[in-house]
Amino acid sequence: MKIRTLFTGAMIFAFLAGCNMENGRQEIPSPATVHSHQELQPSMTNDVLIIATGDMSGVYFSLGQAMADMYEKSNEMASGTQVTNASFQNIKLVSQKNAELGFATADALGLLEKQKLKGENPQETLRALTGLYSNYIQIVTTEESGIESLMDLTGKRISVGSIDSGTKLIAERTLLAAGLSSNKIKKFTLSFSQSADALRNGTIDAAFFVSGVPNPEISSLSTEMPIKLIPIPDEIVNRLQDQFGYYSDAVIPWKTYQGQQKDISTFSIKNVLLTNKDMSNKEAYTLVNTLYEHLSDLEKIHPAAGDIKLSEARIGVPIKFHPGAEKYFAEHGVNQ
């Protein structure tokens, strides 16, 4: 009988200053070092299916664990998850075959079209298995902060998400679109759990959480203290849509979090399940088929999985699909 192996990367608990964005130019960050209980070898040569996820308090991690269980039970694949800093680190791990699957946001993948990562081109080695649910941009502050709008963030201490995360990419783009360059705010690169703790103890004033809703850390925080979600105006969303093209208008429904009394205007970005081009067509087909056969089980783990729609699997994905996934979509009449 195969035994499930759980790979967990060590979380980096430090307050790190975020990188600057000069003249709107963004660089793909280099991946952080991954620590684990054993050295990871390329998963394509192992019997273990490794899923690169994200912060342990985020939706990537909870769904990644559920998917690992699903693949093990349904396909008899020994499966495990790896904690990472999310999108950019997952891109690196999957492109180098140090993880077989990974989650990433569409805008992080879109950035690969224009830039190369340390002389490499991960886009040439990456393939999409399917589009997933959308991440919502959630800007959280405390009731007592006095912050009501994006412009109120001027001069404030703000967590923009972990280094190598899609959260950091979107947070910096949003702040720049609002005219809040690095010299107008104090930036910290914290994980979701670190951000929530920093809001609790007052060491930051606001934090970006870019994830499915509800985000577990925000949910927990809202039960402990009064919080507010900062709306993102239409003009900022339109500006980002015009410039990058990967974002969609969205609303965080009222009562998503305790004390939330109204809908909050924001925007969203599609998540993508990645693999390497060298995965066999048969395995890629099986993974996609199993995912869609067990969506209801994943939704029991987190409601964000309810937003995964087969009819929308190919929409908003900026990289090539794996031939095994293409075969599954063709059989089910899913077109671009």
Side-chain angles (χ1 to χ4, degrees):
M1 182 176 67
K2 294 185 178 179
I3 300 174
R4 181 180 176 195
T5 304
L6 178 66
F7 293 87
T8 55
M11 303 299 291
I12 303 171
F13 288 91
F15 280 41
L16 303 172
C19 64
N20 289 332
M21 296 173 56
E22 300 292 342
N23 300 319
R25 183 171 179 266
Q26 295 170 302
E27 297 292 338
I28 295 178
S30 59
T33 302
V34 180
H35 302 279
S36 65
H37 297 300
Q38 70 180 76
E39 184 178 356
L40 292 175
Q41 299 297 325
S43 65
M44 297 293 173
T45 63
N46 284 346
D47 292 329
V48 179
L49 184 144
I50 302 167
I51 305 174
T53 59
D55 188 316
M56 289 181 71
S57 62
V59 180
Y60 280 179
F61 182 74
S62 59
L63 282 185
Q65 282 198 309
M67 288 169 61
D69 288 336
M70 173 186 72
Y71 288 134
E72 185 161 304
K73 292 174 183 176
S74 300
N75 304 329
E76 297 186 351
M77 295 178 176
S79 304
T81 56
Q82 181 177 340
V83 176
T84 71
N85 286 344
S87 291
F88 287 108
Q89 193 174 4
N90 294 347
I91 287 169
K92 184 76 169 179
L93 288 168
V94 174
S95 68
Q96 293 186 340
K97 301 184 184 179
N98 287 320
E100 197 160 9
L101 300 179
F103 298 102
T105 55
D107 56 348
L109 292 168
L111 199 57
L112 299 180
E113 297 176 358
K114 300 179 180 179
Q115 296 178 304
K116 292 185 178 181
L117 192 60
K118 286 193 171 181
E120 302 171 14
N121 191 353
Q123 189 178 11
E124 292 303 312
T125 62
L126 293 174
R127 295 294 182 266
L129 284 183
T130 183
L132 297 168
Y133 63 96
S134 290
N135 278 351
Y136 287 69
I137 289 67
Q138 303 166 78
I139 309 174
V140 181
T141 187
T142 61
E143 189 69 43
E144 64 181 21
S145 70
I147 297 171
E148 301 288 343
S149 68
L150 274 178
M151 296 314 300
D152 291 337
L153 296 178
T154 303
K156 302 299 185 182
R157 301 162 298 173
I158 305 167
S159 171
V160 296
S162 304
I163 293 173
D164 298 333
S165 67
T167 294
K168 185 172 182 289
L169 174 66
I170 299 175
E172 292 183 327
R173 284 179 170 179
T174 302
L175 292 168
L176 195 63
L180 296 171
S181 56
S182 294
N183 61 349
K184 294 184 179 180
I185 59 172
K186 299 173 184 177
K187 275 196 302 189
F188 297 89
T189 51
L190 309 179
S191 69
F192 290 161
S193 55
Q194 291 169 338
S195 293
D197 284 341
L199 286 167
R200 286 184 182 94
N201 61 37
T203 54
I204 62 171
D205 302 299
F208 280 79
F209 293 78
V210 180
S211 78
V213 293
N215 175 277
E217 285 290 347
I218 303 175
S219 293
S220 177
L221 188 65
S222 71
T223 66
E224 300 170 25
M225 61 190 301
I227 65 169
K228 289 186 291 189
L229 297 177
I230 304 304
I232 302 177
D234 289 343
E235 58 266 28
I236 300 298
V237 178
N238 292 337
R239 196 172 300 161
L240 291 167
Q241 287 173 328
D242 291 343
Q243 186 173 359
F244 302 108
Y246 295 107
Y247 305 118
S248 301
D249 297 297
V251 169
I252 303 169
W254 77 301
K255 293 189 176 180
T256 296
Y257 300 108
Q258 186 164 311
Q260 182 188 341
Q261 298 301 316
K262 59 182 180 180
D263 292 346
I264 300 295
S265 299
T266 185
F267 63 99
S268 64
I269 178 69
K270 190 80 166 277
N271 287 300
V272 181
L273 183 62
L274 305 174
T275 192
N276 191 283
K277 68 179 180 61
D278 291 337
M279 175 181 279
S280 72
N281 291 353
K282 179 180 179 181
E283 184 176 4
Y285 178 95
T286 298
L287 293 174
V288 176
N289 180 67
T290 302
L291 173 67
Y292 282 103
E293 282 186 342
H294 293 84
L295 272 183
S296 60
D297 295 329
L298 295 180
E299 191 173 358
K300 294 174 184 175
I301 301 300
H302 196 283
D307 292 332
I308 303 175
K309 311 290 185 186
L310 178 57
S311 60
E312 301 174 4
R314 296 171 57 89
I315 297 173
V317 177
I319 63 172
K320 297 176 183 177
F321 280 90
H322 193 286
E326 292 277 19
K327 181 183 180 210
Y328 178 85
F329 296 144
E331 290 178 357
H332 291 78
V334 180
N335 300 313
Q336 185 67 36

